[in-house]
């Protein structure tokens, strides 16, 4: 039995890349298009550190979304390598979507990214997606669309609110028309090609990023050490044990993550466990440990040990 369904002759399939400065709404839009959570979201900048592929299945197309780290002027070795990751992705997709939040003025970061796209996109079409339309009134949205149109020559400009489900389907349709004629690239039912370990680590990091100081998001890395079924459990009541290490750069940051009497760490575990159980499809025992890896963002060997493998 084939994992791929019969599709019409004019079926399209391909890759779309979301780019934009940090906290432009790329991950939230990815989740809205896929219909489930596969990319972490946060109000903190530079939340995304991996390219997450989300797969959108439609009757006439299959859209594979690549959600990249936010392009930015790097200040650390990690930042430079994340930018390299984005540049490599731009060269391998069928359409690029530049995300610009409607509730913020166009600034140097947006212009920097537009310049990078103009230099590196080649013949790849670039669509502008004005995100967070729910945060402005009609006049504000018109102003945001006008300002976005002055950045560069876009193939299309689309306003959207992933939170309110405003024009999410339109974004899908606009991106799909730029895809090549092709049979499906992934079987029906697949929503991401990310390994379970990567998704679990991202959900733990998302939970840890809530309500903490501005400097900590950049200093936090999460690594899944082991996933195993608990022994001696009845078949109808399985339990998965998930062991996770969380790394920060200073002892003071470790205290922030753990909280008074371990209260914050318990809350991180509670929030992350809900999403992890959704991935694994079974109840989960989540074991979290916080460790210090001094200045890991600037240490090539530490980056490799923590899973940031860059070619």
């Amino acid at each position: 039995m084939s994992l791929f369904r019969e599709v019409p002759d004019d079926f399209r399939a391909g890759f779309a890349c979301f780019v934009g400065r940090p906290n432009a709404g790329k991950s939230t839009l990815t989740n809205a298009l896929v219909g489930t959570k596969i990319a972490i979201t946060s109000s903190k900048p530079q939340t995304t550190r991996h390219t997450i592929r989300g797969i959108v299945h439609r009757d006439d197309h299959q859209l594979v979304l690549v959600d990249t780290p936010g392009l930015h002027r790097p200040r650390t070795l990690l930042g430079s390598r994340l930018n390299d990751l984005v540049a490599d992705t731009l060269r391998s997709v069928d359409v690029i979507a530049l995300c610009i939040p409607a509730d913020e003025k166009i600034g140097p970061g947006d212009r920097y990214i537009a310049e990078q796209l103009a230099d590196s996109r080649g013949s790849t079409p670039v669509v502008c997606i004005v995100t967070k339309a729910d945060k402005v009134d009609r006049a504000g949205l018109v102003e945001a669309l006008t300002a976005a149109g002055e950045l560069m020559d876009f193939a299309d400009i689309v306003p959207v609110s992933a939170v309110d489900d405003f024009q999410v389907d339109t974004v899908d349709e606009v991106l799909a028309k730029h895809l090549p004629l092709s049979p499906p690239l992934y079987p029906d039912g697949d929503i991401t090609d990310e390994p379970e370990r990567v998704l679990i680590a991202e959900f733990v990091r998302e939970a840890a990023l809530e309500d903490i100081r501005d400097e900590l998001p950049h200093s936090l890395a999460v690594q899944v050490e082991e996933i195993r079924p608990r022994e001696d459990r009845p078949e109808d009541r399985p339990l998965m044990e998930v062991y996770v290490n969380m790394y920060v750069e200073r002892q003071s940051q470790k205290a922030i993550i753990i909280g008074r009497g371990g209260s914050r760490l318990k809350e991180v575990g509670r929030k992350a466990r809900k999403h992890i159980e959704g991935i694994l499809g079974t109840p989960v025992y989540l074991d979290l440990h916080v460790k210090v890896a001094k200045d890991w963002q600037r240490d090539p060997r530490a980056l490799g040990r923590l899973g940031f493998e860059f070619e």
Side-chain angles (χ1 to χ4, degrees), residues 5-193:
R5 58 190 166 91
E6 293 291 327
V7 297
D9 292 338
D10 60 350
F11 193 89
R12 295 180 180 272
F15 294 85
C17 177
F18 285 164
V19 298
R21 56 186 164 90
N23 198 27
K26 303 182 298 296
S27 296
T28 303
L29 183 55
T30 295
N31 292 336
L33 284 163
V34 174
T36 192
K37 189 179 185 68
I38 54 95
I40 74 170
T41 60
S42 171
S43 61
K44 307 295 182 183
Q46 286 177 251
T47 299
T48 304
R49 287 179 178 159
H50 300 273
T51 54
I52 303 288
R53 287 185 171 86
I55 306 164
V56 180
H57 300 274
R58 298 290 186 264
D59 290 340
D60 60 351
H61 68 268
Q62 185 182 83
L63 178 64
V64 185
L65 299 168
V66 182
D67 179 35
T68 64
L71 270 169
H72 61 289
R73 296 187 187 275
R75 294 180 294 178
T76 65
L77 177 60
L78 175 61
S80 296
R81 291 184 172 180
L82 290 176
N83 272 2
D84 291 342
L85 187 65
V86 178
D88 289 343
T89 303
L90 294 179
R91 290 189 284 267
S92 62
V93 299
D94 301 296
V95 57
I96 300 167
L98 172 58
C99 295
I100 297 175
D103 62 334
E104 299 179 33
K105 299 288 186 183
I106 295 227
D110 300 302
R111 296 187 183 92
Y112 171 79
I113 295 169
E115 291 170 3
Q116 299 300 307
L117 291 178
D119 292 339
S120 62
R121 64 168 170 163
S123 59
T124 305
V126 179
V127 172
C128 180
I129 300 178
V130 178
T131 61
K132 305 184 182 182
D134 57 291
K135 293 193 173 183
V136 296
D137 58 20
R138 182 180 296 273
L141 184 57
V142 170
E143 181 180 348
L145 292 169
T146 302
E150 295 172 352
L151 264 181
M152 61 183 293
D153 185 19
F154 293 109
D156 296 280
I157 300 178
V158 185
V160 66
S161 168
V163 173
D164 289 350
D165 196 27
F166 169 67
Q167 294 220 129
V168 173
D169 287 342
T170 301
V171 170
D172 174 44
E173 294 167 4
V174 167
L175 294 178
K177 76 179 184 181
H178 295 289
L179 303 179
L181 294 173
S182 167
L185 303 173
Y186 291 88
D188 276 357
D190 284 9
I191 60 171
T192 183
D193 65 355

Side-chain angles (χ1 to χ4, degrees), residues 32 50 59 65 78 112 147 167 192 203 205 217 224 226 233 248 259 279 295 300 309:
H50 300 273
D59 290 340
L65 299 168
L78 175 61
Y112 171 79
Q167 294 220 129
T192 183
F203 290 146
R205 193 161 65 91
V224 177
E226 188 176 7
R233 294 280 294 193
V248 292
I279 299 171
D295 295 329
E309 299 291 347

